[in-house]
Every structure is written in structure tokens, then in C-alpha cells.
Amino acid sequence: MTSPTSETSETTSLWSSAEWLSDAANWLDEQLTAAGIKRVGEVTQPRLKPWGTVLRADTERGAVWLKAPAPETVFEVPLYRLLASVVPQWVLDPIGVDVDRGWVLLPDGGPTLRERLGEPAGWSEALVSVLPQYGQLQLDLMPHAGDLLAAGVTDMRAAVMPARLDEALELTGRYAAGSGSEIAKEHHAWVSGQRAEFAARCADLPDRASLDHNDLHTNNVLGDPAGTVKFYDWGDSVLAHPFSSMLVALGSLARWLEVDPDDDLVRRPRDAYLEVFGNPADLLAELDLACWIGKVARALVWDRALRREPGEFAGAPLETLASLRMNSWLGAA
């Protein structure tokens, strides 16, 4: 067993201990044996971070990956089991799941969309095919909101978002006060003054709810966009209005391509996604509103991810909240 050097923390100390590594490797082997798969290589630990660790092993059928998320995102383990049951065509099928230990063993899914395509020039066309598949996944999951909550997915539906804004302001208030930055304090004060407006807009958002990946970009999509792809890395996901997923999916595309959200390179995949739900022209305002409200969920997801090691991204939750000043996030045709 080999392991890399990593930041010191309670979780990383546990995950790098000989006892934990031995137990995890034994469990990995047990799951492979039960599935009729033979391991042919050493178990290694290529990733060790405060928010999770990953073990890797080569088998006669290719590489396998054991993922152990930190407590803040351990819901990803039972979530994989649910997704494999409801939307198996769009997710990796776990070889083994141990909810009590917080471990999931996954097959290798091949290169990511970003690795497959290389330069961003082809990403827009690929997402024209990929995003409708993601939209169908969300549609199929809509009847399973209760199951998603039972798996541990955080509730970020419109009805609870005013209270979520208060949570976000509490944590960003501590950051602003301790940062010594007048800009941070001004940002926090401005968002604090938007509570009533935010609550009113939440009440205006149509009542749809599904799984929001919350970090959907080309590095979290596996497979050939000409066929059926797989979506993975669900540790940031929440239960929210489905359209809020486009906050990252289309926002990151616009940034990578250095174009405006109204550019055809963003509009085409946007409309392809919306067509799964209805007439895109009728849904643009709902998309904008869902993404605007989704910034609060995104801020809280940032905090969840950074809680064990804020580092250089410590200001990301407040920066995300401050972007509420952009009233129209993705634009309209």
C-alpha cells in the first residue's frame, strides 16, 4: 500500500493510518471477490484530502476506485446506490457500497469529457448532447425527492431558501468580520439587506425539485458525448430546482470560452437542456431565477467543501453571495 503526503487533519490522519488502509484494502478485495473480479495490481492511495480520500487498484477488468468522503459529504455513498437504482444508465454502477463505513467502490469510467475533447473549443457542441441527458436524469428523479432527502442530500428547495440565506449570512458574516476587508464587509452588508427581496423571489420560483449536481462541468462527465454519458462526483449535490444546475454548467462554459451568457455557444446547450422540460422560450425566466436563487445553495456548498481546509478559497462563499447583485445570471434569448 502506498500513500501520498497530504495536509494534516483528523480525517487524513485516519485515512493514512496503516490500520485504516488495511481495512479498506480488505473490503475492496471482498467486494471484488463477490463480483467475480480479480485484482491484479497493488492498492494505492492517489488522493488524500481533508474532504475525502480515494484508493485505486487494477483488476482484470480495468481500474477500480474506492471513495471515502468526509462526514460532510458522506451522503454521496447511499446516493450512489439510489442513483444506480433509479437512473442506472447515467451513473457508474457501484461494485460495492458500505453505508456504515462511508465507502463506495466504483469501476473506472474512462476519460472525462474535458480529457476527451482537450481544448474548450468543442465543449459547447458536446454539451448540446450531454445536457439533455442530464435533464432527463433530473426528470426521472423528480418523484424521488423523499428518497434523496433520506439518503442525506441537503434540502435547497425554494421554500427553505430564505432560511438558507440566513445560514449563509451567518457564516459569511464571521468571515467578513475576521478578514479585515472593507469590501468583504460591504458585500456582506449588501446581501443582508436583500433578505426580503430574496424571500419574495423564492416564492415566485415554480415548484420543481430534483437533484442539482451543483458542480456540473466537463470534468465531471464521463464518456463519449455522441452516446450515453455518465455523470459522477456527486459530493456537492443538493435537492433544489433542477434548473439551478445550469449555474455551474453554463456559467463555467461561458467563462472557459470567454463569451457572454447570451452567446450562441452558451444558448445552444442551454436550449437543448430546457427542451427536456418544455419550450425553451417559455422557461428562460424560470432558469434565470433558479440560478439566481441557486447562488445561495452554491455558497453553502462552498462552505461545506471548505470547512476542513478553507485555504485560498475561504472567501468563495461570500463572493458567491455577493454575485446576487447580477440580477440576470444567464441572460435570455
Side-chain angles (χ1 to χ4, degrees):
M1 175 73 66
T2 60
S3 61
T5 301
S6 181
E7 302 85 355
T8 300
S9 73
E10 181 180 348
T11 49
T12 54
S13 295
L14 170 65
W15 292 328
S16 59
S17 68
E19 181 179 2
W20 189 91
L21 290 169
S22 177
D23 287 346
N26 289 337
W27 180 81
L28 183 153
D29 283 337
E30 290 171 1
Q31 303 310 304
L32 291 178
T33 299
I37 303 172
K38 181 181 179 181
R39 176 161 66 88
V40 297
E42 181 184 11
V43 178
T44 62
Q45 190 175 31
R47 194 167 305 134
L48 176 60
K49 297 291 184 181
W51 51 85
T53 190
V54 172
L55 305 186
R56 181 190 186 279
D58 287 320
T59 78
E60 59 187 357
R61 301 185 193 175
V64 296
W65 304 84
L66 188 161
K67 185 171 186 178
E72 290 83 359
T73 57
V74 74
F75 70 87
E76 188 178 7
V77 173
L79 177 59
Y80 259 110
R81 177 181 285 170
L82 174 61
L83 294 178
S85 173
V86 180
V87 287
Q89 65 271 49
W90 289 301
V91 296
L92 297 173
D93 186 13
I95 299 168
V97 174
D98 190 322
V99 174
D100 292 335
R101 288 174 169 175
W103 295 346
V104 59
L105 182 63
L106 298 167
D108 188 75
T112 68
L113 197 61
R114 190 172 301 180
E115 292 168 338
R116 183 182 293 269
L117 298 176
E119 294 299 315
W123 294 1
S124 174
E125 190 62 32
L127 290 177
V128 171
S129 300
V130 167
L131 290 183
Q133 296 184 56
Y134 178 72
Q136 189 61 53
L137 173 151
Q138 291 182 301
L139 274 179
D140 291 349
L141 284 170
M142 279 186 179
H144 298 272
D147 296 326
L148 290 167
L149 293 173
V153 177
T154 302
D155 190 354
M156 296 285 186
R157 289 174 291 185
V160 304
M161 289 311 293
R164 295 298 191 198
L165 176 60
D166 289 341
E167 292 177 27
L169 284 169
E170 182 177 354
L171 66 94
T172 56
R174 293 194 296 269
Y175 167 78
S179 69
S181 167
E182 292 304 315
I183 293 177
K185 293 176 183 177
E186 190 276 330
H187 283 336
H188 183 263
W190 181 86
V191 178
S192 296
Q194 304 305 304
R195 283 186 169 96
E197 174 68 14
F198 184 80
R201 293 199 188 186
C202 287
D204 288 339
L205 186 65
D207 186 20
R208 304 180 196 250
S210 188
L211 192 63
D212 171 4
H213 186 286
N214 215 269
D215 197 25
L216 185 62
H217 51 68
T218 51
N219 248 356
N220 282 333
V221 181
L222 305 169
D224 185 347
T228 301
V229 299
K230 305 284 186 181
F231 303 97
Y232 86 118
D233 197 5
W234 296 94
D236 287 339
S237 58
V238 297
L239 178 66
H241 191 291
F243 295 178
S244 61
S245 293
M246 296 301 103
L247 174 63
V248 174
L250 298 179
S252 64
L253 178 65
R255 288 191 294 273
W256 273 101
L257 298 180
E258 298 181 331
V259 298
D260 291 332
D262 279 330
D263 190 281
D264 194 53
L265 290 172
V266 179
R267 290 168 58 187
R268 288 190 66 242
R270 178 200 70 188
D271 289 351
Y273 168 77
L274 288 176
E275 282 176 0
V276 176
F277 299 89
N279 183 348
D282 296 336
L283 297 172
L284 292 177
E286 186 175 344
L287 175 69
D288 269 352
L289 184 55
C291 289
W292 187 81
I293 292 170
K295 294 179 183 182
V296 174
R298 182 69 178 156
L300 289 167
V301 167
W302 264 117
D303 175 66
R304 184 170 72 187
L306 299 172
R307 200 166 297 163
R308 292 175 179 269
E309 186 185 286
E312 62 180 301
F313 297 107
L318 180 54
E319 291 172 9
T320 304
L321 285 188
S323 71
L324 289 169
R325 280 177 162 161
M326 300 170 60
N327 284 322
S328 180
W329 174 243
L330 293 172

